[in-house]
């Protein structure tokens, strides 16, 4: 009996210890609709079931989480894999890699005004394009231009800040902007631009093979905490399934952390991200989280069109599927 009580006490202590394992998670951007899955994983107990106490921090752009995770300030984050590829090329041996693809179809887009003559890629020639220099979509624009047959030399590029990007388009000071499709589109709607005047040119629909945002990890932390990372990814997948089934719940979860959020607007932003970026032909057939090696090879070739690699690119450095289950995570 004494041995049994000791065993039970040890098990209870271990369970309590697991429940208190803190895991800071660095997002790429503000608390908006597409972040709902991570908050749902908190609210619906998925992280707790995995023995995790996850604290989510907002970011300031596609590049923001990468150095945070590489330095170990955050063990896990969410970032654009294309930015990660360049970071690792410039910082060889940095302890950071992607472990779960979330945006199988990246939200990189050019968003324009039909009233200003922008509806298709070719329409950008002769126009003014507003582009924030740190923007993930702008970073891919040269490869997109090549794939879509656009003469980039005929486009006037106006550097803009993130806060002024959509207002400048709404005011007609630029004809189009680069950005994430679900964010720029709805930001324009919020500024009063009629929806039938907005054109969303998704780069992935015009020859861009690149992937989008992924969960990234500090490789030293992950190798020492393999089961923890596997549980973290499984909880994220459950969060995505929750918000896919109930986007309204997801939007409310975002609003609970961002009092300035418009719940209806963030629900639409989430629904746009789900439909265009998360649920794709590939993830429907193969589950969420993994990548296609042939597509990654093509993606690396497209990155090389406008970026000079210092070393030969190696997909194994940028994505590690070992923390995913066989068959990835089903979305239904």
């Amino acid at each position: 009996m004494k041995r049994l009580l000791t065993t039970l006490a040890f098990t209870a202590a271990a369970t309590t210890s697991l429940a208190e394992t803190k895991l800071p998670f660095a997002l790429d951007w503000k608390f908006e609709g597409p972040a709902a899955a991570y908050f749902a994983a908190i609210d619906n107990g998925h992280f707790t079931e995995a023995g995790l106490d996850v604290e989510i921090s907002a970011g300031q752009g596609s590049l923001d989480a990468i150095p945070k995770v590489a330095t170990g300030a955050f063990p896990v984050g969410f970032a654009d894999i294309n930015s990660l590829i360049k970071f690792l090329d410039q910082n060889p041996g940095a302890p950071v890699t992607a472990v779960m693809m979330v945006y199988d179809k990246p939200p990189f887009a050019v968003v324009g005004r039909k009233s200003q003559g922008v509806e298709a890629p070719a329409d950008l020639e002769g126009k003014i394009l507003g582009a924030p220099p740190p923007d993930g979509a702008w970073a891919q624009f040269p490869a997109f231009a090549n794939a879509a047959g656009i003469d980039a030399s005929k486009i006037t590029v106006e550097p803009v800040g993130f806060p002024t990007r959509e207002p400048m388009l709404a005011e007609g000071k630029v004809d189009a902007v680069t950005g994430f499709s679900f964010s720029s589109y709805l930001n324009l709607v919020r500024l009063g631009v009629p929806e039938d005047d907005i054109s969303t040119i998704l780069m992935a629909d015009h020859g861009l093979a690149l992937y989008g945002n992924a969960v990234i990890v500090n490789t030293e932390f992950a190798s020492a905490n393999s089961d923890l990372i596997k549980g973290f990814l499984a909880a994220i997948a459950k969060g995505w399934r929750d918000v896919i089934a109930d986007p309204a719940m997801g939007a409310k979860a975002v609003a609970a952390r961002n009092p300035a959020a418009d719940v209806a607007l963030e629900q639409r932003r989430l629904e746009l991200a789900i439909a265009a970026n998360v649920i794709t032909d590939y993830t429907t057939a193969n589950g969420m989280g993994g990548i296609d090696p042939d597509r990654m090879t093509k993606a690396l070739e497209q990155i090389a069109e406008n970026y000079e690699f210092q070393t030969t690119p190696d997909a194994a450095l940028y994505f590690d599927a070992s923390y995913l289950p066989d068959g990835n995570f089903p979305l239904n």
Side-chain angles (χ1 to χ4, degrees):
M1 177 63 73
K2 184 177 180 180
R3 180 179 296 176
L4 175 60
L5 290 174
T6 301
T7 301
L8 289 173
F10 177 82
T11 301
T15 301
T16 301
S17 176
L18 278 174
E20 295 175 353
T21 301
K22 294 186 179 297
L23 192 68
F25 180 36
L27 287 184
D28 61 329
W29 193 234
K30 298 178 289 187
F31 292 172
E32 295 183 339
Y38 315 115
F39 299 127
I42 292 175
D43 295 346
N44 296 340
H46 304 317
F47 286 136
T48 300
E49 290 172 7
L52 299 172
D53 178 8
V54 176
E55 181 178 353
I56 300 174
S57 297
Q60 298 180 350
S62 301
L63 310 174
D64 193 55
I66 298 171
K68 292 177 180 177
V69 174
T71 59
F74 284 79
V76 289
F78 186 61
D80 168 40
I81 194 170
N82 308 289
S83 300
L84 174 66
I85 289 167
K86 294 176 184 178
F87 178 87
L88 285 169
D89 184 60
Q90 296 161 11
N91 300 273
V96 57
T97 193
V99 292
M100 178 182 181
M101 186 56 59
V102 176
Y103 294 157
D104 178 68
K105 194 173 185 180
F108 306 136
V110 175
V111 180
R113 299 277 301 276
K114 295 177 184 178
S115 60
Q116 291 172 228
V118 177
E119 294 190 52
D123 297 334
L124 294 170
E125 295 179 5
K127 300 296 194 301
I128 300 174
L129 176 67
D135 178 44
W138 167 242
Q140 317 313 326
F141 187 82
F144 159 67
N146 288 341
I150 302 169
D151 186 346
S153 68
K154 295 181 180 179
I155 301 171
T156 301
V157 178
E158 179 73 25
V160 299
F162 286 120
T164 60
R165 171 174 51 188
E166 287 84 15
M168 288 184 70
L169 181 55
E171 294 167 9
K173 294 180 180 178
V174 296
D175 301 306
V177 296
T178 62
F180 276 20
S181 54
F182 46 72
S183 289
S184 290
Y185 180 92
L186 290 177
N187 287 344
L188 288 169
V189 172
R190 187 169 54 183
L191 290 168
V193 177
E195 292 194 48
D196 60 4
D197 188 34
I198 303 172
S199 58
T200 301
I201 303 170
L202 200 63
M203 296 182 185
D205 290 338
H206 298 275
L208 200 68
L210 306 187
Y211 281 97
N213 279 38
V215 176
I216 63 174
V217 299
N218 180 282
T219 54
E220 295 171 353
F221 178 89
S223 63
N225 298 275
S226 177
D227 288 343
L228 185 151
I229 293 298
K230 290 177 181 178
F232 175 70
L233 299 184
I236 285 178
K238 291 176 183 177
W240 273 107
R241 287 198 292 269
D242 290 346
V243 300
I244 288 170
D246 189 355
M249 174 275 296
K252 290 175 184 175
V254 170
R257 278 86 175 177
N258 180 4
D262 179 321
V263 176
L265 189 74
E266 296 312 325
Q267 180 177 338
R268 287 199 62 197
R269 200 189 308 269
L270 172 60
E271 289 169 343
L272 287 171
I274 290 170
N277 312 115
V278 177
I279 298 179
T280 65
D281 291 343
Y282 182 85
T283 59
T284 298
N286 300 281
M288 178 188 198
I291 62 171
D292 175 72
D294 291 338
R295 178 179 164 190
M296 178 57 83
T297 297
K298 184 176 180 182
L300 291 173
E301 292 172 353
Q302 288 187 330
I303 292 173
E305 291 177 13
N306 57 279
Y307 173 78
E308 185 176 351
F309 280 96
Q310 297 176 14
T311 58
T312 303
D314 178 2
L317 296 175
Y318 320 129
F319 192 88
D320 180 356
S322 67
Y323 300 97
L324 298 172
D326 291 340
N328 303 315
F329 296 108
L331 285 174
N332 51 34

